[in-house]
Amino acid sequence: MSYLLDNVQFAGDENLCRLFLDGSLQKKVPLDQTINSDEYWDLEGRLVLPAFVELHTHLDKTYAQIDNSSGGLAGAIEAYREYKSRRSLIDVEKAATRALFKAVSAGVTCLRSHVNAAGPEDVELINLLDEVRKRFAPMIDIQLVAMGSFGVAGESYIATCIEAGADMIGGAPALQEEPYTAVARAVSLAAELEVPLDLHIDEHLKAEVCTLATLCDEIEKQNYEYCVTASHCASLSLFSDDQLFRVTDAVHRLGINIVALPVCNMVLLGGDTRPYVRGTAPVSKLMGAGANVCIGSDNVRDPFNPFGGYDPLRSLQISNILEFQNSTEAIKSSLNLITDNARKAFDNDVVPGGDVVVLESFDLLDALCDPPFCLATFKEGRRVFMREVKETWVSEHTIK
């Protein structure tokens, strides 16, 4: 089915236009040009943007609404470990399904999820989420990251999960006893299995521990040639400009993608410091150094983060607030963090067509400062979600 969206407002365009969608064909045409379509929709000047990319989630943990009574990252890990033993696969499937519907309804058509790969039971999780992925394939592209530990036993579980359908290798080297060795083993394992790498890097506030620098060194030393993503990078916020330059120069040169996760990092990091530390990656400085920087949601409604809802516009708004990105130009350009930059990190070889989102907004700045409803999500030219919004106001004569 083909669609003609009329009176479309694109970001950066002064004039309205028409948008024709037919599968992966996406074509902008002037308002006065006639074009045939199966369905017509007059947007009356509403905003159409590239569909969003959600680069960091945890579908195996989401909507596990249990308290993190101890607080912090260690408390969240322990709370979930206890809960995991009594959470069924049916619970995980229901929660993941809820999360994916929520993401699509927020305009997301590409999503990456980290999944525990620390034991034999986690292979079942990969199998389950692979089936969920197949079910949602018409709506959203999903990548699964096998997240485990790096040592002989841990790596065997990761490899088994890759065989079961995971696309990438992940883990949190900074949480292991020998973090720098863990980074080296992670790169080696990814090279051996010939898969990309997406690591939780420096999710802490210890400036003296920088596994990101080690990651850069190991990529060069081992001649690793696949895509690399470093998620979190929170401790970079404590670096001096000179320290940061030395790391970001290598990040830029090696093409490492950085995924900042402001919401979850604000929840888990810095709460016991005085004054409070904004424990999240320094997005604007990383971008200034030429790095490909993206924004993600991370955990949603679980012991790691009781907030959130898979809405990239909300995550972007919070990032801009934390980064003091207050100018009109900076706010508008930040859209790339959840569109072009994120899509490059998701799949650098694919030029998408027909993945767009229609927003209940008439202006890009308004949409980024006060995130609106998503009215429709199109995946490869197919409308996979639509929301109807009706507002009713009391009549003027009743207002005194």
Side-chain angles (χ1 to χ4, degrees), residues 88-148:
S88 70
L89 289 176
I90 294 176
D91 293 333
V92 175
E93 182 180 15
K94 287 181 178 178
T97 297
R98 177 184 176 188
L100 292 171
F101 276 128
K102 192 79 171 174
V104 173
S105 72
V108 176
T109 60
C110 294
L111 178 143
R112 180 181 295 172
S113 175
H114 294 252
V115 185
N116 275 17
E121 71 279 2
D122 293 329
V123 179
E124 294 182 328
L125 275 177
I126 293 290
N127 288 329
L128 170 71
L129 292 174
D130 190 39
E131 289 302 314
V132 173
R133 166 167 57 182
K134 292 172 184 175
R135 209 169 72 234
F136 274 84
M139 296 186 187
I140 185 170
D141 295 329
I142 301 171
Q143 293 175 343
L144 301 177
V145 184
M147 182 182 176

Side-chain angles (χ1 to χ4, degrees), residues 14 30 32 127-128 285 306 362 372 389:
E14 292 184 5
D32 58 359
N127 288 329
L128 170 71
K285 289 185 177 181
F362 299 86
V389 179

Side-chain angles (χ1 to χ4, degrees), residues 231-245:
S231 298
H232 289 287
C233 301
S235 66
L236 296 184
S237 61
L238 305 178
F239 282 25
S240 68
D241 287 345
D242 287 343
Q243 287 176 301
L244 190 61
F245 173 78

Side-chain angles (χ1 to χ4, degrees), residues 305-322:
N305 175 26
F307 307 105
Y310 296 97
D311 185 347
L313 283 175
R314 292 287 178 191
S315 298
L316 182 61
Q317 180 190 41
I318 292 170
S319 175
N320 283 332
I321 292 170
L322 293 174

